Amino acid sequence: MADVYDVAVIGSGPGGHAAALTAARRGARVCLIEREQWGGVCLNVGCIPTKALVAVSQFIRQVRRAQRLGVTIQGYALDYPAVLARNERIITTLRRGIVDLLRREQVAVVNGHAAFEDAHHLIVTHEGSSQRLQASRVIIASGARPFSGAWTLDECHLLSYRGLLALSQVPPSLLIIGGGVIGCEFASCFAMFGTQVTIVEQQPQLLPGEDPEAVRWLARRFEADGITMRTGQTVARLERSAEGALTATLSDGTQQHAHAVLVAIGQRPHIDALQLANAGVAHGRGVQVDTWLRTSQPHIAAIGDCVEGHGLAHWASAEGAIAARNLLGDPPEALQAIDVPRCIFTDPEIAHVGPLEKDLGETVRSNRVAFGALGKSHCDEQTEGFIKLLADRTTNRLRGATIVGAQASSLIHHVVVAIRHGLTAKQLARTITAHPTWPEVITETAAHLYGESLAVSARRAPSVAAGRSG
Ligand SMILES: Cc1cc2nc3c(=O)[nH]c(=O)nc-3n(C[C@H](O)[C@H](O)[C@H](O)COP(=O)(O)OP(=O)(O)OC[C@H]3O[C@@H](n4cnc5c(N)ncnc54)[C@H](O)[C@@H]3O)c2cc1C
């Protein structure tokens, strides 16, 4: 006999977790199946452990710049095992919270690997035993795993992000193949930990696809931090010495030596062991879905990183809730991609929402204000960075923003709310923000679009100004 559910969810990352809770809160009988650690990539080897490391690297930077605030610190040492132990504590606490919440909401948590037997049955195997589940609806949220191209990773010297996060000591030198988000975030962190970092990126700029001006700011900081950037280059050959050290030969013939190499060239949907063919679910590299996240079988949805393309936890989570509602009979809903923020947790942070300025062309007016125009940035000794707002030329509605600098990943959400609710730049400008705070830079930039700014001259390009008087 099979256990019978209204909804079975495969994978407990942010997508599956949101899907299971949403379905359960609507009274459905739900099970959530997980083959590895509860919380998925995001909690165990992705967003959370990396941002915990980012917090440590930001703290080190603060210590290093303490003298600029008039504080002398006599020296510090990085206790990396203690850093890793803190990471583990954070993950364990959050993981426990996830499982407790699921149980409180009556979601059956099932450990094991799920594979389709047919379109309504799953076989879950765990430690040599197996069980059969029957479900009226299924949500696939099996995520993605590291793609290593032609490289065979040993996770000791030649690493994916999983191996790098598992190293017990900071490597003296690290070569990162791939200057995308994951590569740049690790570069930013490990440079602060004292590692000699080199990034090799085949495109002409790091973070291909991001605002070029934002990337120039980041590249300047990377350079100051001693990170070597080899853009427009590929790694043609990797050789390992008997001691394990690696030598990379780049496409221009130069060589780079490193104690460890991180291959950060992308992710691939994790779908090969799901037996999708047994359920008649069509797939390419990822599961194929329509606008409403339904697969080729209308009672089966797929969300998050197993559907190729987005690679964001909050995107997966939003899709999880939408897919559950759609499958349970709500009016069909699609994810509105125009206001999903993307944040890059390098130092400086880069945050972005909406299309890039170059893609909107003449349809928008743009305005850019340097962080130095803000009193708060001087108080915090964080004057580097800028915000650029884009507003529709005809309607004046906000269309997008790029923020580089301190607090960018938090500040972007003011613009996200404005875009989601169709606010004009003027409406945003006339929202009163407390002084002195970081969000003032948002309202000032919006105001600058109208020549109403109190901090920046409307007559000329913004320069470093004193900000509002305190
Ligand atoms: C190093 C790194 C840093 C990141 N940082 C950020 C960040 O700061 N912000 C952000 O938004 N995103 C970040 N991401 C991306 C984010 O982690 C993913 O977009 C997100 O985890 C995708 O969620 P998901 O629910 O689709 O799948 P996942 O989180 O990948 O979870 C899928 C789960 O399904 C399980 N599973 C797979 N197959 C089966 C099966 N057959 N049976 C049972 N279980 C199965 C897996 O074990 C896994 O636990 C980062 C990713 C990485 C790698």
Side-chain angles (χ1 to χ4, degrees):
M1 277 290 288
D3 287 336
V4 181
Y5 294 96
D6 298 316
V7 181
V9 182
I10 304 173
S12 72
H17 175 242
L21 285 178
T22 305
R25 282 174 180 158
R26 300 186 146 231
R29 191 168 143 72
V30 181
C31 70
L32 177 57
I33 310 155
E34 173 54 58
R35 54 177 270 165
E36 288 184 40
Q37 299 277 22
W38 291 89
V41 167
C42 175
L43 173 55
N44 296 287
V45 288
C47 325
I48 298 297
T50 54
K51 267 78 256 181
L53 291 183
V54 165
V56 176
S57 73
Q58 283 172 342
F59 188 78
I60 294 173
R61 191 180 292 279
Q62 290 290 72
V63 169
R64 288 190 187 176
R65 58 158 78 105
Q67 203 132 34
R68 283 158 63 177
L69 287 96
V71 179
T72 304
I73 294 176
Q74 292 293 351
Y76 69 92
L78 180 71
D79 179 353
Y80 198 60
V83 168
L84 294 182
R86 185 183 89 100
N87 267 18
E88 204 43 52
R89 281 197 303 278
I90 295 169
I91 292 169
T92 308
T93 305
L94 295 177
R95 199 189 284 145
R96 200 178 304 128
I98 284 177
V99 175
D100 284 352
L101 180 60
L102 289 165
R103 291 206 168 114
R104 269 205 307 279
E105 299 290 335
Q106 312 289 326
V107 174
V109 295
V110 180
N111 289 294
H113 171 88
F116 283 96
E117 183 185 59
D118 59 41
H120 283 285
H121 291 93
L122 294 167
I123 303 293
V124 180
T125 46
H126 182 56
E127 294 177 352
S129 64
S130 67
Q131 60 177 307
R132 189 162 177 262
L133 309 179
Q134 181 181 321
S136 312
R137 307 161 189 86
V138 180
I139 300 179
I140 306 170
S142 54
R145 54 182 168 205
F147 174 65
S148 59
W151 316 114
T152 306
L153 308 182
D154 60 18
E155 299 293 15
C156 286
H157 299 282
L158 189 53
L159 311 158
S160 71
Y161 55 83
R162 286 176 177 256
L164 184 55
L165 286 168
L167 288 185
S168 57
Q169 290 297 339
V170 170
S173 56
L174 176 66
L175 175 76
I176 299 178
I177 306 177
V181 176
I182 291 177
C184 285
E185 288 186 355
F186 277 119
S188 189
C189 263
F190 277 86
M192 279 297 106
F193 296 165
T195 298
Q196 182 58 56
V197 178
T198 302
I199 310 176
V200 180
E201 165 55 51
Q202 66 175 358
Q203 299 294 322
Q205 73 165 35
L206 297 180
L207 300 171
E210 287 300 328
D211 182 291
E213 190 183 4
V215 177
R216 278 199 297 278
W217 278 75
L218 179 67
R220 275 204 297 274
R221 178 70 66 79
F222 272 7
E223 208 173 333
D225 287 346
I227 297 172
T228 306
M229 289 160 282
R230 304 297 313 275
T231 50
Q233 296 288 325
T234 55
V235 174
R237 208 167 59 243
L238 261 181
E239 285 155 321
R240 191 173 316 169
S241 72
E243 300 77 47
L246 291 137
T247 301
T249 307
L250 306 196
S251 41
D252 66 357
T254 56
Q255 291 196 321
Q256 297 282 335
H257 307 284
H259 290 81
V261 172
L262 169 69
V263 179
I265 56 175
Q267 294 274 86
R268 284 286 184 272
H270 193 178
I271 58 168
D272 28 344
L274 286 167
Q275 308 286 4
L276 292 174
N278 291 348
V281 171
H283 65 91
R285 212 147 68 177
V287 184
Q288 288 168 0
V289 291
D290 64 14
T291 322
W292 297 282
L293 304 168
R294 291 176 312 201
T295 67
S296 51
Q297 291 283 2
H299 69 285
I300 302 178
I303 56 170
D305 284 7
C306 70
V307 179
E308 205 175 34
H310 316 302
L312 292 172
H314 44 287
W315 192 301
S317 196
E319 284 189 340
I322 290 173
R325 290 196 292 265
N326 286 353
L327 281 186
L328 289 171
D330 275 19
E333 197 186 331
L335 188 133
Q336 299 298 326
I338 52 156
D339 55 10
V340 181
R342 303 184 72 86
C343 298
I344 303 171
F345 298 88
T346 43
D347 194 335
E349 289 185 351
I350 299 177
H352 179 81
V353 62
L356 289 180
E357 189 176 9
K358 70 175 172 52
D359 298 325
L360 290 170
E362 285 304 300
T363 64
V364 288
R365 290 192 300 146
S366 86
N367 225 306
R368 179 189 177 289
V369 167
F371 272 19
L374 188 74
K376 174 71 172 164
S377 74
H378 292 267
C379 299
D380 288 4
E381 199 64 35
Q382 304 256 33
T383 52
E384 287 172 49
F386 70 90
I387 166 168
K388 183 158 58 181
L389 279 184
L390 309 177
D392 189 280
R393 223 173 249 288
T394 318
T395 65
N396 284 320
R397 287 198 168 159
L398 287 152
R399 298 288 308 279
T402 298
I403 309 179
V404 179
Q407 312 283 333
S409 62
S410 294
L411 291 174
I412 196 72
H413 292 89
H414 293 259
V415 190
V416 170
V417 172
I419 294 177
R420 166 132 295 216
H421 297 286
L423 297 190
T424 62
K426 191 169 184 177
Q427 285 171 314
L428 183 61
R430 299 228 171 145
T431 309
I432 298 171
T433 39
H435 176 67
T437 60
W438 285 100
E440 281 179 292
V441 79
I442 309 271
T443 42
E444 285 297 344
T445 311
H448 190 220
L449 275 167
Y450 289 91
E452 287 183 350
S453 172
L454 302 180
V456 177
S457 167
R459 293 177 195 282
R460 59 187 165 81
S463 58
V464 176
R468 281 186 211 168
S469 63

